[in-house]
Amino acid sequence: MAAARRSPRLKDVAEAAGVHISTASRALNERTAALLNPQTLERVRETADGLGYRVNGMARALKTRRSLSIGMVVPDITNPFFPPTVRGAEDVLDRAGYSLLLSSTDNDMGKARRQVAAMLESQVDGLLLAMALRDDPLVTELRSGGAPLVLVNRTIDRGGVSAVVPDDFHGALEAAEHLYALGHRRLAFVGGPLATSNGARRRASFDQTVARLGLKEVAALEAVAFDEDAGYATAQDLLTRHPRITGVVAGNDLLAIGIIAAAAERGLACPQDISVVGFNDMLLAGRLQPPLTTIRIPQYDVGARAAELLMSLVDDPDRNPETVLISGELVIRGSTAAPRAAD
Amino acid sequence: MAAARRSPRLKDVAEAAGVHISTASRALNERTAALLNPQTLERVRETADGLGYRVNGMARALKTRRSLSIGMVVPDITNPFFPPTVRGAEDVLDRAGYSLLLSSTDNDMGKARRQVAAMLESQVDGLLLAMALRDDPLVTELRSGGAPLVLVNRTIDRGGVSAVVPDDFHGALEAAEHLYALGHRRLAFVGGPLATSNGARRRASFDQTVARLGLKEVAALEAVAFDEDAGYATAQDLLTRHPRITGVVAGNDLLAIGIIAAAAERGLACPQDISVVGFNDMLLAGRLQPPLTTIRIPQYDVGARAAELLMSLVDDPDRNPETVLISGELVIRGSTAAPRAAD
DNA sequence: TGTCTGCCGGCAACCGTTTGCATCGACGCT
DNA sequence: AGCGTCGATGCAAACGGTTGCCGGCAGACA
């Protein structure tokens, strides 16, 4: 009749059940329920159900200093690498009773800062950062900052913080060797920004591998981003400056797509005229035209492992930092082939 | 020397600045800052900065009854439709000062319930639901439940709740007419679950369109999900039962991919032997083999509009429910062509 | 019947903010 | 000189829970 009270509080449940509010609290809390007389317990629980009681998470979090939420910041959820990663993280967090606060930064440092600040304000119990630079001031701030932190996909040069990243070194090595094994001798690398760990490590691995193989005609370029447009633009450059290149290892699948597009525009068919190997094996990579040969990184696992690591860090903040390498494997599809015989 | 206090509270700032805690609160709050003497204001702000003060969002939320967070639940973030949608939502929410609590339900009703409950517990100010069934008990519970709600991508049959959905009817119509215009006369529809609004509406539109066009040899099948596997399985069925079909409109792009795969397995090339049109124009749809002819739905806009609608609902909970239709357009690529002449 | 032992459940402080209201001094006006 | 006004700040009560501590009561035991 009167204006309906917005929603029942613990106090309402307690009164309805004829117990003290603290008893009601204990009844509704797994951990403390054992303290109560079974009958009281049941009575409280039933009235709680009857009233449609729902604990106020903020009040609880305020008191317990645990929000049961963790924040994850990715550069761009629209980049196919991230959805499976987010999914992996979310699955393990969910299982641990945590919620996921997600944010895309659009590769904008300022936005990232603001988002992280907002997450910290909302008292996240931990942070999953998937956008670190090799020397990232934000990360250094955060390290001592407060919430447990684990880096995802990219890490920083100086250690000291937990991270879950793909095995960039081994991946790029496999990619280059695959091309070599097919008969390619003039290789190029079109990688992502060197300011990122995966940009730098894949590049270093490529350099080292071609040197080891004794290849002379090689080129290595840095795209401004890990996306299709950057791949296209960088490949334009590559193809004019090094027209004799027959095989290229790309920094990731999106770059590979851009590279293939740039090549096509110059009349170079993939894989007939030029072979390209990607990195990640993103969703649908095998359905593309041509199906992408690539280094498969189990993206779901990256996210899942990162979340697991974070959970253990939340439980024990003094745990030593640890970085886990997720290894990939070459999957051969249609974007690589032996170079033309005449070549 | 002593154990560092975890992190400064408002009280600490107030003491350091030599003012009362309430004054400090007002200084740090845009809305109330004008009440203060400019000098006091500055002094408080400086000491707050100096101490690295960061407001405790939970305490604030508890008091103000506003968490500045909204929850979004999608069936599967890994489905390419959703990342852009989430991105759109996140962008407008961010601009409005809100954070995004995201959750994938894996199309599991139980999980969805739990996730929504968790979100409600954490006092989200609103809910973006992207997994509604046409007759969804969860939605009806939520309607009167508490937080403002807007449905995304899928809606319910009985109105009464705000929603932002693609113009399914017009989309499917255009798809069918496109095939007709190419010369196809034996059409099939492989749609998603009829329990979803887009499953049902696209199907209804298809039925109606082929009837209007006077087509006799038609078939319409329901896949169990909106994914590639379901498309593949359903197409198997379709192709054995209706081998003379030459054009199929798919419930979405993923289904289209599965259909094309199933056809290929029977030696039917797309588009030479069979034309397929998708729905959504997901990321990379144009790079597939073959490039997909599809109905482009601006996925980013769907999310963005939904978030805008939700924001206005948050500001005025008594606002009337409203459903906005996002219209799509046919984009013709390589998966459709005229049927074989002999046909 | 008196004391001891345990089990239950009440008491009240506290988590960190916000905010309506009261206070207080200064100032202008008559 | 008295009074109303007004700007600036302090006071204290919430917001909705959790939890260490304590007291009461029942049963056991002597």
Side-chain angles (χ1 to χ4, degrees):
Chain A
M1 216 101 332
R5 165 155 209 84
R6 26 184 174 264
S7 78
R9 298 156 309 167
L10 189 53
K11 191 179 171 203
D12 301 323
V13 175
E15 280 169 5
V19 299
H20 190 265
I21 180 174
S22 63
T23 304
S25 172
R26 289 192 259 258
L28 269 15
N29 222 305
E30 271 318 324
R31 204 168 34 75
T32 48
L35 297 177
L36 299 192
N37 179 313
Q39 297 171 30
T40 322
L41 180 59
E42 171 117 355
R43 182 156 40 96
V44 174
R45 290 201 165 156
E46 272 174 6
T47 55
D49 280 358
L51 263 50
Y53 172 71
R54 175 170 284 146
V55 34
N56 182 323
M58 318 240 82
R60 164 179 290 173
L62 180 57
K63 178 64 183 168
T64 61
R65 300 167 163 290
R66 281 220 158 189
S67 66
L68 291 184
S69 72
I70 83 102
M72 178 166 194
V73 11
V74 301
D76 182 7
I77 184 65
T78 263
N79 176 326
F81 179 83
F82 293 105
T85 309
V86 169
R87 188 71 147 78
E90 207 229 304
D91 278 356
V92 350
L93 291 177
D94 177 49
R95 233 169 286 134
Y98 281 73
S99 301
L100 215 217
L101 224 38
L102 184 75
S103 136
S104 277
T105 64
D106 207 9
N107 279 308
D108 171 343
M109 205 53 185
K111 190 168 179 188
R113 286 198 116 76
R114 292 199 337 264
Q115 306 269 28
V116 166
M119 287 175 170
L120 257 20
E121 278 189 5
S122 61
Q123 309 297 110
V124 292
D125 292 333
L127 233 29
L128 253 19
L129 226 57
M131 51 158 309
L133 299 179
R134 285 166 57 203
D135 179 20
D136 198 320
L138 184 51
V139 174
T140 39
E141 278 172 42
L142 252 29
R143 277 179 46 180
S144 47
L149 171 68
V150 5
L151 268 22
V152 186
N153 187 36
R154 303 178 181 176
T155 186
I156 57 175
D157 279 353
R158 35 191 312 161
V161 34
S162 288
V164 176
V165 297
D167 189 342
D168 296 306
F169 204 88
H170 180 249
L173 181 153
E174 275 213 82
E177 284 191 341
H178 167 61
L179 290 173
Y180 184 86
L182 284 172
H184 294 272
R185 292 298 177 267
R186 297 191 294 278
L187 300 188
F189 178 76
V190 174
L194 290 174
T196 64
S197 66
N198 17 226
R201 293 182 182 185
R202 289 170 198 177
R203 163 69 176 272
S205 171
F206 174 84
D207 286 347
Q208 186 170 320
T209 302
V210 293
R212 175 166 50 78
L213 294 173
L215 302 185
K216 296 286 183 266
E217 275 192 72
V218 298
L221 277 68
E222 175 186 9
V224 298
F226 275 107
D227 62 28
E228 190 176 332
D229 288 349
Y232 179 87
T234 312
Q236 295 279 27
D237 191 13
L238 172 72
L239 296 173
T240 73
R241 283 167 47 196
H242 305 272
R244 291 168 40 90
I245 289 295
T246 64
V248 9
V249 355
N252 77 354
D253 293 336
L254 255 18
L255 286 171
I257 292 178
I259 294 164
I260 292 170
E265 202 168 86
R266 300 186 168 228
L268 265 38
C270 173
Q272 295 80 0
D273 304 307
I274 191 166
S275 286
V276 178
V277 14
F279 209 109
N280 282 347
D281 192 23
M282 64 181 191
L283 196 72
L284 296 178
R287 296 264 183 230
L288 296 175
Q289 161 77 300
L292 229 50
T293 293
T294 188
I295 305 296
R296 169 180 299 155
I297 300 295
Q299 297 146 74
Y300 181 95
D301 294 351
V302 171
R305 287 292 289 119
E308 284 168 7
L309 200 49
L310 184 59
M311 290 291 87
S312 61
L313 230 40
V314 166
D315 287 342
D316 173 16
D318 295 326
R319 206 170 200 274
N320 273 334
E322 170 182 343
T323 123
V324 1
L325 242 45
I326 304 288
S327 60
E329 56 171 337
L330 175 69
V331 8
I332 301 175
R333 289 196 278 241
S335 65
T336 51
R340 282 190 172 333
D343 212 34
Chain B
M1 209 82 350
R5 165 154 210 84
R6 26 185 174 263
S7 79
R9 299 156 308 169
L10 192 51
K11 191 178 171 202
D12 302 322
V13 176
E15 280 168 5
V19 300
H20 190 265
I21 180 175
S22 63
T23 304
S25 171
R26 287 190 261 258
L28 269 14
N29 222 304
E30 271 318 323
R31 206 169 30 75
T32 47
L35 296 177
L36 298 192
N37 178 314
Q39 297 171 27
T40 322
L41 179 60
E42 172 118 356
R43 182 156 40 97
V44 174
R45 289 199 165 159
E46 273 173 5
T47 54
D49 279 359
L51 264 51
Y53 172 73
R54 178 169 281 145
V55 36
N56 182 322
M58 319 241 78
R60 165 178 290 174
L62 179 58
K63 180 63 183 170
T64 62
R65 299 166 164 291
R66 281 220 158 188
S67 66
L68 292 183
S69 72
I70 82 101
M72 178 166 194
V73 10
V74 301
D76 182 6
I77 186 64
T78 264
N79 176 326
F81 179 84
F82 293 106
T85 308
V86 169
R87 187 72 146 79
E90 208 228 303
D91 279 356
V92 349
L93 291 177
D94 177 50
R95 234 170 284 136
Y98 281 73
S99 301
L100 215 217
L101 225 38
L102 183 75
S103 136
S104 277
T105 64
D106 207 9
N107 279 307
D108 171 344
M109 206 51 186
K111 189 168 180 189
R113 286 198 117 78
R114 292 200 336 265
Q115 305 269 28
V116 167
M119 287 176 171
L120 257 19
E121 279 190 5
S122 61
Q123 309 296 111
V124 293
D125 293 333
L127 235 28
L128 252 20
L129 226 57
M131 51 158 311
L133 299 179
R134 285 165 58 201
D135 179 19
D136 197 321
L138 184 53
V139 174
T140 39
E141 277 172 42
L142 253 28
R143 275 179 47 180
S144 47
L149 172 67
V150 5
L151 269 21
V152 186
N153 187 37
R154 303 177 181 175
T155 186
I156 58 175
D157 279 353
R158 36 191 312 161
V161 35
S162 288
V164 176
V165 296
D167 189 343
D168 296 306
F169 204 88
H170 180 249
L173 180 154
E174 274 212 83
E177 284 192 341
H178 167 61
L179 291 173
Y180 183 86
L182 284 172
H184 294 272
R185 293 297 177 269
R186 297 191 295 277
L187 300 188
F189 178 76
V190 175
L194 290 174
T196 64
S197 65
N198 19 225
R201 292 181 183 187
R202 291 170 197 175
R203 162 68 176 273
S205 170
F206 175 84
D207 286 347
Q208 186 169 319
T209 302
V210 294
R212 176 166 49 76
L213 293 172
L215 302 184
K216 296 286 184 265
E217 275 192 72
V218 298
L221 278 67
E222 175 186 9
V224 299
F226 274 107
D227 62 28
E228 190 176 332
D229 288 349
Y232 178 87
T234 312
Q236 295 279 30
D237 190 14
L238 172 73
L239 295 173
T240 71
R241 283 166 48 196
H242 305 273
R244 291 168 41 89
I245 288 295
T246 64
V248 7
V249 354
N252 77 355
D253 294 335
L254 255 19
L255 287 171
I257 292 178
I259 293 164
I260 291 170
E265 203 167 84
R266 302 189 166 225
L268 266 37
C270 172
Q272 295 81 359
D273 304 308
I274 191 166
S275 286
V276 178
V277 12
F279 209 109
N280 281 347
D281 191 24
M282 64 181 191
L283 195 72
L284 296 178
R287 296 261 181 234
L288 296 175
Q289 161 79 298
L292 229 51
T293 294
T294 188
I295 304 296
R296 168 179 302 155
I297 300 295
Q299 297 146 74
Y300 181 95
D301 294 352
V302 171
R305 287 291 289 120
E308 285 168 6
L309 199 49
L310 184 58
M311 290 291 87
S312 62
L313 230 41
V314 166
D315 289 341
D316 173 16
D318 294 327
R319 206 168 199 275
N320 273 333
E322 171 181 344
T323 124
V324 0
L325 243 45
I326 304 287
S327 60
E329 54 172 337
L330 175 68
V331 6
I332 301 174
R333 290 196 278 241
S335 66
T336 52
R340 280 188 172 335
D343 213 39

